[in-house]
Protein backbone atom coordinates (compact mmCIF):
# COMPACT_ATOMS: atom_id res chain seq x y z
CA UNK A 1 0.00 0.00 0.00
CA UNK A 2 1.19 3.56 -0.69
CA UNK A 3 2.00 5.57 2.42
CA UNK A 4 -0.11 8.57 1.35
CA UNK A 5 -2.36 9.73 -1.47
CA UNK A 6 -1.36 12.97 -3.20
CA UNK A 7 -4.32 14.68 -4.90
CA UNK A 8 -3.63 17.43 -7.43
CA UNK A 9 -6.58 19.43 -8.82
CA UNK A 10 -5.48 20.95 -12.13
CA UNK A 11 -7.35 23.37 -14.39
CA UNK A 12 -5.38 24.28 -17.53
CA UNK A 13 -2.02 23.65 -15.85
CA UNK A 14 -0.15 21.99 -18.75
CA UNK A 15 2.61 24.62 -18.52
CA UNK A 16 3.48 23.92 -14.90
CA UNK A 17 2.23 20.52 -13.76
CA UNK A 18 5.35 18.82 -15.12
CA UNK A 19 7.65 20.70 -12.75
CA UNK A 20 5.51 19.60 -9.77
CA UNK A 21 5.33 15.95 -10.84
CA UNK A 22 9.06 15.87 -11.57
CA UNK A 23 9.85 16.96 -8.02
CA UNK A 24 7.27 14.68 -6.44
CA UNK A 25 8.54 11.60 -8.23
CA UNK A 26 12.23 12.41 -7.88
CA UNK A 27 13.41 10.46 -4.83
CA UNK A 28 10.11 8.67 -4.26
CA UNK A 29 10.24 4.89 -4.07
CA UNK A 30 8.10 3.00 -6.60
CA UNK A 31 4.53 2.95 -5.29
CA UNK A 32 5.40 5.04 -2.22
CA UNK A 33 2.75 7.63 -3.05
CA UNK A 34 -0.62 7.26 -4.74
CA UNK A 35 -0.63 10.34 -6.99
CA UNK A 36 -3.95 11.39 -8.54
CA UNK A 37 -4.20 14.35 -10.91
CA UNK A 38 -7.76 15.60 -11.42
CA UNK A 39 -7.90 17.54 -14.69
CA UNK A 40 -11.03 19.64 -14.34
CA UNK A 41 -12.55 21.59 -17.22
CA UNK A 42 -9.24 21.70 -19.08
CA UNK A 43 -8.90 23.15 -22.57
CA UNK A 44 -5.19 22.28 -22.79
CA UNK A 45 -2.97 19.19 -22.47
CA UNK A 46 -2.93 18.97 -18.65
CA UNK A 47 -4.22 15.38 -18.63
CA UNK A 48 -1.81 14.07 -21.27
CA UNK A 49 1.18 15.81 -19.67
CA UNK A 50 0.30 14.20 -16.32
CA UNK A 51 -0.16 10.76 -17.90
CA UNK A 52 3.34 10.99 -19.39
CA UNK A 53 4.64 10.89 -15.80
CA UNK A 54 2.84 7.60 -15.12
CA UNK A 55 0.46 8.94 -12.47
CA UNK A 56 -3.26 8.31 -12.31
CA UNK A 57 -5.42 10.91 -14.04
CA UNK A 58 -9.11 11.58 -13.47
CA UNK A 59 -10.87 13.91 -15.92
CA UNK A 60 -14.05 15.91 -15.51
CA UNK A 61 -15.56 18.56 -17.80
CA UNK A 62 -16.58 20.61 -14.75
CA UNK A 63 -14.10 23.49 -14.12
CA UNK A 64 -14.38 23.38 -10.34
CA UNK A 65 -11.61 22.91 -7.80
CA UNK A 66 -14.06 21.71 -5.17
CA UNK A 67 -15.44 19.09 -7.57
CA UNK A 68 -11.88 18.08 -8.46
CA UNK A 69 -11.03 17.64 -4.78
CA UNK A 70 -14.13 15.53 -4.27
CA UNK A 71 -13.34 13.31 -7.28
CA UNK A 72 -9.72 12.98 -6.21
CA UNK A 73 -10.79 12.00 -2.73
CA UNK A 74 -13.08 9.31 -4.14
CA UNK A 75 -10.27 7.95 -6.30
CA UNK A 76 -7.56 8.05 -3.62
CA UNK A 77 -6.30 4.74 -2.31
CA UNK A 78 -4.58 5.69 0.94
CA UNK A 79 -4.50 7.91 4.01
CA UNK A 80 -3.12 10.40 4.87
CA UNK A 81 -4.27 12.64 2.03
CA UNK A 82 -2.00 15.39 0.71
CA UNK A 83 -3.71 18.03 -1.42
CA UNK A 84 -1.35 19.96 -3.69
CA UNK A 85 -2.05 22.87 -6.03
CA UNK A 86 -0.67 22.21 -9.50
CA UNK A 87 1.21 25.53 -9.70
CA UNK A 88 3.46 24.95 -6.67
CA UNK A 89 6.42 22.62 -6.15
CA UNK A 90 6.97 20.12 -3.36
CA UNK A 91 9.28 17.13 -3.29
CA UNK A 92 9.00 13.59 -2.00
CA UNK A 93 10.91 14.49 1.17
CA UNK A 94 8.43 17.27 1.90
CA UNK A 95 5.46 14.93 1.49
CA UNK A 96 7.08 12.43 3.84
CA UNK A 97 7.67 15.13 6.46
CA UNK A 98 4.04 16.24 6.28
CA UNK A 99 2.80 12.65 6.41
CA UNK A 100 4.92 11.87 9.46
CA UNK A 101 3.79 15.05 11.28
CA UNK A 102 0.20 13.85 11.45
CA UNK A 103 -1.03 12.03 14.52
CA UNK A 104 -0.89 12.68 18.28
CA UNK A 105 -3.63 15.29 17.91
CA UNK A 106 -2.29 16.88 14.72
CA UNK A 107 -5.01 16.55 12.08
CA UNK A 108 -3.58 18.88 9.43
CA UNK A 109 -0.07 19.93 8.40
CA UNK A 110 1.40 22.25 5.80
CA UNK A 111 4.94 23.15 4.69
CA UNK A 112 6.94 26.31 5.04
CA UNK A 113 6.68 28.66 2.06
CA UNK A 114 9.68 29.18 -0.20
CA UNK A 115 8.73 32.26 -2.23
CA UNK A 116 10.40 32.41 -5.65
CA UNK A 117 10.92 36.18 -5.75
CA UNK A 118 14.36 36.65 -7.29
CA UNK A 119 13.16 37.86 -10.70
CA UNK A 120 10.03 39.66 -9.49
CA UNK A 121 9.76 43.47 -9.65
CA UNK A 122 10.48 45.42 -6.47
CA UNK A 123 6.83 46.25 -5.61
CA UNK A 124 5.94 42.54 -5.67
CA UNK A 125 8.97 41.66 -3.55
CA UNK A 126 8.16 44.52 -1.18
CA UNK A 127 4.59 43.32 -0.70
CA UNK A 128 5.62 39.77 0.11
CA UNK A 129 8.41 40.91 2.43
CA UNK A 130 5.68 42.27 4.70
CA UNK A 131 2.98 39.67 4.01
CA UNK A 132 5.25 36.74 4.84
CA UNK A 133 5.98 38.23 8.29
CA UNK A 134 2.37 38.68 9.40
CA UNK A 135 1.30 36.44 12.32
CA UNK A 136 -1.81 35.06 10.56
CA UNK A 137 0.26 34.26 7.49
CA UNK A 138 3.03 32.58 9.46
CA UNK A 139 0.67 30.49 11.59
CA UNK A 140 -2.09 29.64 9.11
CA UNK A 141 -2.08 26.75 6.66
CA UNK A 142 -3.40 28.88 3.79
CA UNK A 143 -1.33 30.31 0.94
CA UNK A 144 1.04 27.34 0.90
CA UNK A 145 -0.50 25.29 -1.89
CA UNK A 146 -0.12 22.06 0.11
CA UNK A 147 -2.07 20.63 3.03
CA UNK A 148 -1.83 17.11 4.47
CA UNK A 149 -4.63 15.68 6.57
CA UNK A 150 -5.18 12.55 8.61
CA UNK A 151 -8.24 10.41 8.01
CA UNK A 152 -10.15 12.34 10.68
CA UNK A 153 -8.90 15.64 9.28
CA UNK A 154 -9.93 14.61 5.80
CA UNK A 155 -13.49 13.98 6.94
CA UNK A 156 -13.57 17.49 8.37
CA UNK A 157 -12.36 18.98 5.08
CA UNK A 158 -14.95 17.10 3.05
CA UNK A 159 -17.69 18.46 5.34
CA UNK A 160 -16.71 22.11 4.76
CA UNK A 161 -19.26 24.34 3.02
CA UNK A 162 -18.42 25.26 -0.59
CA UNK A 163 -16.39 28.48 -0.61
CA UNK A 164 -14.01 30.05 -3.11
CA UNK A 165 -11.14 30.21 -0.63
CA UNK A 166 -10.76 26.52 0.06
CA UNK A 167 -7.27 26.83 1.58
CA UNK A 168 -8.33 29.53 4.05
CA UNK A 169 -11.42 27.52 4.97
CA UNK A 170 -9.24 24.44 5.44
CA UNK A 171 -6.91 26.34 7.76
CA UNK A 172 -9.79 27.71 9.83
CA UNK A 173 -11.36 24.25 10.10
CA UNK A 174 -8.62 23.22 12.54
CA UNK A 175 -7.86 24.71 15.93
CA UNK A 176 -4.26 25.87 16.51
CA UNK A 177 -3.55 22.71 18.49
CA UNK A 178 -4.82 20.52 15.66
CA UNK A 179 -2.72 22.01 12.87
CA UNK A 180 1.00 22.39 12.35
CA UNK A 181 3.40 24.13 9.99
CA UNK A 182 6.23 21.64 9.41
CA UNK A 183 9.50 23.56 9.29
CA UNK A 184 11.41 20.75 7.58
CA UNK A 185 8.99 20.65 4.62
CA UNK A 186 9.05 23.36 1.95
CA UNK A 187 6.75 24.25 -0.91
CA UNK A 188 8.00 26.56 -3.64
CA UNK A 189 5.37 29.25 -4.25
CA UNK A 190 5.54 31.24 -7.49
CA UNK A 191 4.27 34.78 -6.82
CA UNK A 192 2.94 37.07 -9.58
CA UNK A 193 5.41 38.57 -12.01
CA UNK A 194 3.56 41.88 -12.31
CA UNK A 195 1.93 44.34 -9.93
CA UNK A 196 -1.32 43.96 -11.87
CA UNK A 197 -1.40 40.22 -11.31
CA UNK A 198 -0.57 40.72 -7.64
CA UNK A 199 -3.59 43.01 -7.44
CA UNK A 200 -5.77 40.32 -9.00
CA UNK A 201 -4.66 37.85 -6.35
CA UNK A 202 -5.30 40.29 -3.54
CA UNK A 203 -8.77 41.25 -4.80
CA UNK A 204 -9.59 37.55 -4.82
CA UNK A 205 -8.20 37.17 -1.29
CA UNK A 206 -10.33 40.04 0.03
CA UNK A 207 -13.41 38.53 -1.59
CA UNK A 208 -12.60 35.13 -0.07
CA UNK A 209 -12.35 36.55 3.46
CA UNK A 210 -15.65 38.41 3.01
CA UNK A 211 -17.40 35.23 1.85
CA UNK A 212 -16.14 33.21 4.81
CA UNK A 213 -16.97 35.94 7.32
CA UNK A 214 -20.55 36.04 6.02
CA UNK A 215 -20.87 32.26 6.27
CA UNK A 216 -20.70 29.77 9.13
CA UNK A 217 -16.94 30.13 9.62
CA UNK A 218 -15.18 32.99 11.41
CA UNK A 219 -12.08 34.34 9.65
CA UNK A 220 -10.91 36.90 12.19
CA UNK A 221 -7.59 35.14 12.69
CA UNK A 222 -6.84 35.66 8.99
CA UNK A 223 -7.27 39.41 9.35
CA UNK A 224 -4.33 41.79 9.63
CA UNK A 225 -4.65 44.78 11.96
CA UNK A 226 -2.57 47.92 12.59
CA UNK A 227 -0.86 46.26 15.56
CA UNK A 228 0.44 43.49 13.31
CA UNK A 229 1.95 46.00 10.88
CA UNK A 230 3.45 48.07 13.70
CA UNK A 231 5.02 44.92 15.12
CA UNK A 232 6.56 44.10 11.74
CA UNK A 233 7.97 47.63 11.46
CA UNK A 234 9.31 47.48 15.02
CA UNK A 235 11.18 44.23 14.36
CA UNK A 236 12.50 45.31 10.96
CA UNK A 237 12.57 49.14 10.53
CA UNK A 238 14.15 48.73 7.09
CA UNK A 239 10.75 47.47 5.93
CA UNK A 240 9.06 50.89 6.24
CA UNK A 241 9.12 51.55 2.46
CA UNK A 242 7.79 48.03 1.91
CA UNK A 243 4.96 48.74 4.33
CA UNK A 244 3.90 51.63 2.10
CA UNK A 245 3.59 49.25 -0.84
CA UNK A 246 1.75 46.69 1.28
CA UNK A 247 -0.78 49.23 2.52
CA UNK A 248 -1.30 50.67 -0.96
CA UNK A 249 -1.98 47.27 -2.50
CA UNK A 250 -4.25 46.27 0.39
CA UNK A 251 -6.37 49.42 0.25
CA UNK A 252 -6.78 49.31 -3.53
CA UNK A 253 -7.65 45.59 -3.43
CA UNK A 254 -10.31 46.19 -0.78
CA UNK A 255 -11.82 49.03 -2.79
CA UNK A 256 -11.91 46.96 -5.99
CA UNK A 257 -13.35 43.93 -4.22
CA UNK A 258 -16.37 45.83 -2.90
CA UNK A 259 -18.38 45.34 -6.08
CA UNK A 260 -17.99 41.56 -5.96
CA UNK A 261 -18.74 41.48 -2.22
CA UNK A 262 -21.86 43.62 -2.62
CA UNK A 263 -23.05 41.37 -5.46
CA UNK A 264 -22.06 38.26 -3.48
CA UNK A 265 -20.05 37.15 -6.49
CA UNK A 266 -17.97 34.39 -4.95
CA UNK A 267 -17.41 32.41 -8.13
CA UNK A 268 -15.38 34.73 -10.39
CA UNK A 269 -11.81 33.44 -10.11
CA UNK A 270 -9.21 36.14 -10.82
CA UNK A 271 -6.42 33.89 -11.94
CA UNK A 272 -2.81 35.01 -12.07
CA UNK A 273 -1.37 33.73 -15.34
CA UNK A 274 2.00 35.51 -15.03
CA UNK A 275 3.32 33.07 -12.40
CA UNK A 276 2.66 30.16 -14.77
CA UNK A 277 5.11 31.32 -17.45
Amino acid sequence: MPSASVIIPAHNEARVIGRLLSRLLDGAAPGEFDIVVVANGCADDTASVARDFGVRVVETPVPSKREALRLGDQAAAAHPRVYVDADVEVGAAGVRALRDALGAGTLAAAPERALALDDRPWPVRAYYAVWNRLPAVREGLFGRGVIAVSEEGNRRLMDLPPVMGDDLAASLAFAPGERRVVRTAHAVIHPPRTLGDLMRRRIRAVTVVAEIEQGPMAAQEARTGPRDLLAVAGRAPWLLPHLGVFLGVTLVARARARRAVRAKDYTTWLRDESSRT
Side-chain angles (χ1 to χ4, degrees), residues 88-105:
V88 306
E89 298 177 60
V90 64
V95 172
R96 289 190 199 103
L98 295 174
R99 175 199 66 198
D100 295 344
L102 298 171

Side-chain angles (χ1 to χ4, degrees), residues 17-134:
I17 196 166
R19 71 188 180 193
L20 167 60
L21 292 174
S22 294
R23 288 202 58 184
L24 270 176
L25 293 169
D26 184 24
E32 181 179 4
F33 304 127
D34 168 42
I35 300 175
V36 182
V37 173
V38 186
N40 62 101
C42 293
D44 65 0
D45 297 329
T46 297
S48 62
V49 171
R51 285 193 180 97
D52 286 343
F53 283 86
V55 301
R56 290 199 290 145
V57 177
V58 175
E59 293 189 73
T60 173
V62 181
S64 163
K65 184 176 181 181
R66 181 175 178 83
E67 175 68 5
L69 292 171
R70 185 186 68 82
L71 291 174
D73 199 62
Q74 289 178 349
H79 285 285
R81 303 274 160 85
V82 185
Y83 297 97
V84 183
D85 290 348
D87 61 336
V88 306
E89 298 177 60
V90 64
V95 172
R96 289 190 199 103
L98 295 174
R99 175 199 66 198
D100 295 344
L102 298 171
T106 299
L107 306 183
E112 283 279 22
R113 302 177 189 88
L115 296 170
L117 287 165
D118 288 347
D119 61 348
R120 274 30 177 191
W122 184 80
V124 173
R125 288 185 279 116
Y127 180 90
Y128 280 102
V130 176
W131 180 83
N132 205 36
R133 288 172 168 81
L134 298 174

Side-chain angles (χ1 to χ4, degrees), residues 130 133-135 138 227-239:
V130 176
R133 288 172 168 81
L134 298 174
R138 293 183 61 83
R227 288 185 179 180
D228 297 319
L229 296 178
L230 289 172
V232 170
R235 288 191 296 266
W238 61 271
L239 282 175

Side-chain angles (χ1 to χ4, degrees), residues 212-228:
I212 291 178
E213 285 182 336
Q214 294 172 16
M217 302 180 70
Q220 282 79 6
E221 66 177 285
R223 285 282 190 180
T224 294
R227 288 185 179 180
D228 297 319

Side-chain angles (χ1 to χ4, degrees), residues 84-276:
V84 183
D85 290 348
D87 61 336
V88 306
E89 298 177 60
V90 64
V95 172
R96 289 190 199 103
L98 295 174
R99 175 199 66 198
D100 295 344
L102 298 171
T106 299
L107 306 183
E112 283 279 22
R113 302 177 189 88
L115 296 170
L117 287 165
D118 288 347
D119 61 348
R120 274 30 177 191
W122 184 80
V124 173
R125 288 185 279 116
Y127 180 90
Y128 280 102
V130 176
W131 180 83
N132 205 36
R133 288 172 168 81
L134 298 174
V137 173
R138 293 183 61 83
E139 297 162 10
L141 304 185
F142 61 88
R144 301 175 189 273
V146 183
I147 182 169
V149 289
S150 66
E151 189 167 0
E152 180 183 348
N154 188 63
R155 285 194 294 268
R156 193 177 299 183
L157 284 191
M158 292 299 110
D159 288 340
L160 287 175
V163 292
M164 183 164 65
D166 58 282
D167 62 339
L168 177 57
S171 181
L172 295 172
F174 300 98
E178 297 176 323
R179 67 183 189 231
R180 177 182 169 193
V181 176
V182 180
R183 307 302 175 186
T184 56
H186 295 83
V188 178
I189 309 297
H190 296 271
R193 293 180 180 274
T194 69
L195 184 59
D197 280 295
L198 171 61
M199 192 64 67
R200 289 167 65 85
R201 281 200 187 189
R202 300 320 303 165
I203 293 170
R204 186 180 75 210
V206 172
T207 307
V208 161
V209 171
E211 179 188 18
I212 291 178
E213 285 182 336
Q214 294 172 16
M217 302 180 70
Q220 282 79 6
E221 66 177 285
R223 285 282 190 180
T224 294
R227 288 185 179 180
D228 297 319
L229 296 178
L230 289 172
V232 170
R235 288 191 296 266
W238 61 271
L239 282 175
L240 284 174
H242 303 66
L243 277 167
V245 173
F246 180 88
L247 286 170
V249 169
T250 300
L251 292 174
V252 172
R254 288 181 180 177
R256 293 185 180 178
R258 284 180 190 142
R259 179 181 299 178
V261 173
R262 283 197 299 265
K264 297 188 182 300
D265 177 8
Y266 301 128
T267 59
T268 301
W269 187 263
L270 297 177
R271 175 160 151 147
D272 162 33
E273 296 289 351
S274 69
S275 61
R276 290 171 167 83

